[in-house]
């Protein structure tokens, strides 16, 4: 009997920190599939912190990329254009059967554009998420990537309705679950205990003391001095009632210093740390009682872990974390944030349930589907 073969490789793309947690389980599932899916990995270098990149690849057990484009920072236009210029030669030198992209960063849309113009199918993991806010660059990346894609894998059932409203054939759409949760569940037992991380920084919460975890990095929150000052003031008010741990994004730190807001954090009950590795962040998040964030990934992870989350944005592309999970959208006004915080202190926070197919096996379903799709196309 002839061994089934996919006859060609899938070129997987990662570019920024959120991509790493999504690609890791997919690469493992490709190797373990009934008909293994040959793959190559390209890192665009959109996330340009070499030390953090190395820690993520090591901790998540991602194979070293076959190619690192080393793009680095820049405006959206410059970064997207540079990725396209450096990605095209890889497609010419090693033509793949398909290009797989994840999430909604600039690397996602840039590599999809290059691939589709060369007649190479595009596979989008985490398709169909919509916030309805086109002022967010990620929303534009999501919409355009989905329009270019031949296979669209969704994390929640409502995403299919979004895609079909935009004219995408239902036959291309596959509800598989959430690969971010695959990584979360695979790494819970490996998480670095929060106490070990706190030892590296001053004034951490006392043992067993309730604390909140804060992350801020969205340009809409940290690039406008008035918005950032107001958010910091609100966080300081909360920090005086319950300790907060704030792993500070480099962009946020630079803007706080540039706008002269660093004194605002003094004597506030906020423990500021540098960026944390994935396993460090996971350990701190597990120990936290509340998360205040503008991160999409943390909205999903807190829902999976049952931790109340206050999202410091006016909308979310992950509405299932609100309708079924532990997430509450509070925007950026002090009144709404503090009202939600007081409710948390009184009630223990919003309870939720784990959404359908957030079971740690999304990558297996993706790999099986792609394997069958490639075999059928040989």
């Amino acid at each position: 009997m002839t061994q089934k073969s996919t006859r060609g490789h899938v070129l997987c793309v990662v570019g920024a920190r959120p991509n790493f947690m999504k690609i890791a389980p997919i690469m493992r599932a490709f190797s373990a599939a009934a008909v293994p899916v040959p793959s190559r990995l390209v890192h665009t270098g959109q996330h340009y912190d070499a030390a953090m990149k190395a820690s993520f690849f090591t901790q998540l057990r991602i194979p070293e990329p076959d190619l690192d484009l080393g793009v680095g920072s820049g405006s959206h236009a410059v970064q997207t254009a540079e990725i396209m210029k450096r990605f095209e030669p890889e497609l010419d030198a090693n033509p793949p059967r398909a290009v797989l992209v994840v999430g909604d960063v600039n690397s996602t849309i840039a590599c999809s554009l290059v691939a589709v113009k060369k007649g190479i199918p595009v596979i989008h993991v985490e398709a169909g998420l919509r916030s309805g806010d086109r002022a967010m660059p990620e929303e534009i990346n999501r919409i355009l990537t989905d329009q270019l894609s031949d296979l669209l894998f969704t994390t929640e059932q409502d995403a299919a309705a979004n895609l079909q409203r935009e004219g995408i054939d239902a036959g291309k759409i596959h509800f598989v679950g959430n690969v971010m949760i695959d990584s979360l569940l695979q790494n819970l037992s490996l998480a670095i205990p929060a106490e070990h991380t706190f030892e590296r920084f001053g004034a951490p919460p006392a043992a067993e003391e309730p604390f909140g975890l804060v992350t801020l990095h969205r340009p809409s929150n940290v690039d406008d001095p008035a918005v950032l000052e107001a958010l910091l003031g609100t966080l300081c008010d909360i920090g005086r009632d319950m300790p907060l741990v704030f792993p500070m994004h480099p962009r946020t730190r630079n803007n706080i210093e540039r706008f002269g807001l660093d004194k605002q954090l003094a004597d506030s009950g906020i423990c500021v740390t540098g960026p944390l590795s994935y396993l460090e962040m996971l350990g701190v998040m597990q120990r936290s009682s509340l998360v205040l964030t503008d991160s999409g990934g943390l909205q999903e992870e807190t829902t999976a872990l049952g931790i109340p989350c206050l999202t410091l944005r006016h909308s979310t592309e992950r509405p299932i974390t609100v309708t079924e999970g532990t997430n509450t959208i509070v925007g950026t006004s002090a009144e709404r944030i503090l009202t939600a915080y007081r409710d948390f202190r009184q009630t223990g926070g919003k309870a939720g349930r784990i959404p359908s197919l957030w079971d740690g096996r999304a990558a297996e379903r993706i790999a099986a589907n792609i394997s069958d799709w490639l075999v059928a196309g040989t």
Side-chain angles (χ1 to χ4, degrees):
M1 184 168 129
T2 305
Q3 175 72 34
K4 288 184 178 179
S5 169
T6 60
R7 291 190 187 173
H9 72 278
V10 173
L11 183 59
C12 300
V13 176
V14 291
R17 176 174 176 150
N19 294 167
F20 302 151
M21 289 83 87
K22 296 165 191 172
I23 210 68
I26 293 172
M27 299 289 287
R28 283 193 288 275
F30 277 174
S31 299
V35 180
V37 178
S39 61
R40 282 174 59 84
L41 181 63
V42 168
H43 181 256
T44 66
Q46 180 181 332
H47 184 140
Y48 51 90
D49 184 320
M52 289 301 289
K53 174 233 168 182
S55 78
F56 272 87
F57 273 71
T58 300
Q59 292 185 354
L60 292 167
R61 304 179 300 284
I62 304 171
E64 274 299 307
D66 296 281
L67 180 66
D68 190 329
L69 301 182
V71 169
S73 62
S75 70
H76 285 284
V78 167
Q79 193 174 66
T80 302
E82 197 60 39
I83 293 167
M84 293 177 72
K85 285 166 56 180
R86 299 189 191 194
F87 185 62
E88 185 176 35
E90 165 64 16
L91 298 188
D92 293 336
N94 299 286
R97 283 288 305 280
V99 169
L100 182 148
V101 295
V102 296
D104 54 19
V105 299
N106 288 339
S107 298
T108 305
I109 182 59
C111 294
S112 297
L113 279 168
V114 176
V116 77
K117 289 191 175 189
K118 287 183 167 290
I120 298 169
V122 174
I123 301 167
H124 187 201
V125 174
E126 203 181 73
L129 298 180
R130 298 289 183 270
S131 68
D133 181 3
R134 292 203 179 195
M136 293 178 64
E138 295 87 354
E139 183 82 347
I140 305 303
N141 292 345
R142 286 189 283 268
I143 292 168
L144 295 180
T145 301
D146 286 339
Q147 288 295 326
L148 300 176
S149 296
D150 297 84
L151 278 180
L152 300 98
F153 293 113
T154 63
T155 63
E156 54 186 78
Q157 289 174 314
D158 289 348
N162 294 335
L163 294 169
Q164 288 178 266
R165 274 196 301 271
E166 294 168 5
I168 293 171
D169 183 351
K172 296 181 176 182
I173 304 166
H174 303 271
F175 172 47
V176 294
N178 194 330
V179 291
M180 280 281 286
I181 307 308
D182 289 17
S183 273
L184 180 76
L185 297 178
Q186 289 166 7
N187 287 285
L188 275 178
S189 63
L190 303 174
I192 295 170
E195 288 70 24
H196 294 180
T197 301
F198 293 158
E199 286 176 4
R200 299 202 288 120
F201 304 100
E208 305 306 319
E209 181 182 14
F211 70 89
L213 170 64
V214 176
T215 75
L216 279 180
H217 75 282
R218 298 271 173 188
S220 58
N221 280 341
V222 304
D223 286 0
D224 183 319
V227 173
L228 182 56
E229 182 175 17
L231 280 171
L232 289 179
T234 305
L235 292 172
C236 289
D237 289 341
I238 294 172
R240 294 184 186 100
D241 182 67
M242 182 179 74
L244 297 178
V245 176
F246 190 173
M248 197 171 282
H249 190 282
R251 180 193 196 106
T252 308
R253 185 182 294 276
N254 290 340
N255 284 345
I256 286 173
E257 293 174 357
R258 185 159 62 95
F259 302 148
L261 302 175
D262 38 320
K263 293 180 181 177
Q264 196 169 355
L265 294 172
D267 302 319
S268 63
I270 299 177
C271 174
V272 176
T273 80
L276 302 181
S277 70
Y278 178 67
L279 295 183
E280 286 176 323
M281 178 65 88
L282 187 51
V284 173
M285 182 165 53
Q286 275 186 287
R287 254 272 280 125
S288 68
S289 301
L290 173 70
V291 172
L292 302 102
T293 187
D294 58 10
S295 161
L298 285 185
Q299 294 172 49
E300 294 176 326
E301 291 172 332
T302 48
T303 279
L305 293 173
I307 299 169
C309 177
L310 303 182
T311 292
L312 308 174
R313 288 164 49 186
H314 299 287
S315 62
T316 180
E317 65 282 359
R318 293 162 168 85
I320 199 168
T321 64
V322 176
T323 57
E324 296 187 20
T326 57
N327 187 21
T328 303
I329 306 298
V330 295
T332 57
S333 79
E335 182 180 0
R336 285 189 63 193
I337 297 168
L338 292 173
T339 297
Y341 172 71
R342 285 190 288 268
D343 180 71
F344 157 76
R345 290 295 267 176
Q346 291 171 1
T347 67
K350 184 178 180 181
R353 66 183 181 87
I354 297 175
S356 176
L357 297 190
W358 288 26
D359 57 2
R361 302 187 64 184
E364 293 176 31
R365 290 185 279 269
I366 290 169
N369 192 297
I370 292 174
S371 179
D372 291 344
W373 180 72
L374 291 172
V375 168
T378 56

